[in-house]
Amino acid sequence: MILAHEVAGDSSDQLPGVALVAHDRRKEELMGWAATHLEFLLSRPVYATATTGTLLRARLGLPIRLLHSGPQGGDQQIGAYIARGAINGLFFFWDPLTTHAHGDDVRALLRLATLRDIYVACGPTTATAIASQLSSRETSPVPA
């Protein structure tokens, strides 16, 4: 597995990145959304948890800064990138009908995204609106 800090090209002159995360029952939905918005995703750094990122790489050839799986610390890794301003959009297709052993990690990630006031999408409609907003800007500052 390539960890995000090992990927060349992490530099401050790039647009802030986005994180893609999907729970098992929503992975196909995220894959479909990503395929439709590939140009947007190719225009900025993309971080993803392990299984989601591996699927995105295999199916779409998308360059991914691959993190650990969510339950093994990937949600917290994304939170750390949000906290330091490297991610300004969280595309988290979570499953509201299933309990998760790492539910506390999920809540912590969503809490941090809210505190940092970044863009958060939990489904394709909001994800499309956010991608459109971010695409319309030459740069997308991350709130302080």
Side-chain angles (χ1 to χ4, degrees):
M1 176 183 325
I2 298 174
L3 299 178
H5 68 276
E6 297 171 341
V7 176
D10 278 345
S11 69
S12 61
D13 61 336
Q14 292 181 318
L15 289 175
V18 296
L20 301 179
V21 183
H23 286 153
D24 289 344
R25 291 177 39 179
R26 307 255 343 250
K27 286 193 191 314
E28 288 304 318
E29 189 176 16
L30 180 63
M31 293 304 127
W33 180 85
T36 304
H37 296 86
L38 196 55
E39 184 177 336
F40 163 74
L41 294 171
L42 288 169
S43 72
R44 63 201 66 243
V46 176
Y47 300 80
T49 50
T51 306
T52 302
T54 300
L55 286 170
L56 288 163
R57 277 183 178 171
R59 293 189 188 178
L60 304 176
L62 190 62
I64 299 287
R65 290 171 163 99
L66 197 61
L67 305 173
H68 295 295
S69 71
Q72 295 179 351
D75 296 334
Q76 290 143 337
Q77 285 179 300
I78 290 171
Y81 281 102
I82 291 169
R84 74 174 218 217
I87 291 174
N88 74 340
L90 174 60
F91 296 77
F92 190 175
F93 287 31
W94 63 283
D95 182 357
L97 300 177
T98 304
T99 58
H100 302 280
H102 66 291
D104 290 338
D105 296 338
V106 171
R107 283 186 293 282
L109 176 58
L110 292 171
R111 183 174 39 255
L112 183 57
T114 301
L115 287 170
R116 293 292 296 184
D117 194 26
I118 68 165
Y119 296 97
V120 179
C122 296
T125 301
T126 309
T128 297
I130 290 171
S132 176
Q133 172 68 21
L134 289 173
S135 294
S136 70
R137 299 174 168 202
E138 191 165 300
T139 60
S140 301
V142 175

